[in-house]
Amino acid sequence: NGETTDYELDVELSCQDSDPLGPGNHSRSSAAGIEVDGTRYENLKQCPGKPDWFSFTGFDNTTILADLELSQGSLPLSSINLEAYDSSGEKLGEGTIPDGSDRIELQFSPDSDGEYFIKVQAPKTFIYSLATLQP
C-alpha cells in the first residue's frame, strides 16, 4: 500500500509422502504389502516422524535378505534404521552397512510361517529403494 509495515512470516516445511507404496504405511497395522522375490521398489520416500512399514509373508527355515539404497537425501546411511519385526512386534534384526558399501543390508530368519515386517526410519526426509529376497 506504499507504506512501510513490520510483519512476521512463519514458514513450515512439510513432507508429502506420495511414493508408490504410500502414503499411509506409517505403522505396522497399515504396512504396505511387498513381494519378497528380489523386486526393487524405487522412489520410496520417508518423512521425519513417519516411518515406512512394509509387510510380507515369511517362511520357517528360510532367510530373508533386504537392502536399502539411498537415492536422494543429505544424510549419512548410519542415520537410517532398517529393521525387521514379527507379527507380535518383536524386533528380529537390524540393518548394517558393510565396509565400503553404499547400502544398508538386513538379514534374518523367520522362526515360523507368517507375516513379517520391515521398518525404515530416519530423522530427515530421503528417497530410497528397497529390495527383498527369500532365497
Side-chain angles (χ1 to χ4, degrees):
N1 63 10
E3 295 180 23
T4 302
T5 305
D6 291 333
Y7 63 92
E8 290 184 23
L9 176 65
D10 291 326
V11 177
E12 183 178 315
L13 297 176
S14 94
C15 179
Q16 300 299 317
D17 185 2
S18 57
D19 64 47
L21 296 177
N25 62 326
H26 303 303
S27 68
R28 194 170 46 129
S29 62
S30 63
I34 59 172
E35 297 297 323
V36 186
D37 60 1
T39 299
R40 179 160 295 280
Y41 296 94
E42 303 279 350
N43 297 313
L44 303 175
K45 184 176 188 179
Q46 192 270 308
C47 295
K50 297 180 179 180
D52 284 347
W53 284 85
F54 305 96
S55 66
F56 57 91
T57 301
F59 299 99
D60 188 19
N61 295 319
T62 62
T63 299
I64 304 292
L65 306 172
D67 79 73
L68 180 149
E69 289 184 8
L70 182 65
S71 303
Q72 293 178 9
S74 59
L75 71 165
L77 281 177
S78 60
S79 68
I80 300 171
N81 293 323
L82 176 64
E83 302 169 338
Y85 292 85
D86 66 13
S87 60
S88 71
E90 181 180 342
K91 185 159 69 167
L92 303 175
E94 191 168 322
T96 60
I97 305 168
D99 288 341
S101 178
D102 61 350
R103 67 184 61 214
I104 301 172
E105 296 179 356
L106 168 67
Q107 178 176 326
F108 72 98
S109 298
D111 58 3
S112 63
D113 295 359
E115 187 174 27
Y116 291 88
F117 301 88
I118 289 178
K119 178 183 176 185
V120 177
Q121 185 171 14
K124 289 185 172 182
T125 301
F126 69 101
I127 308 289
Y128 65 99
S129 66
L130 178 70
T132 53
L133 180 63
Q134 189 167 241

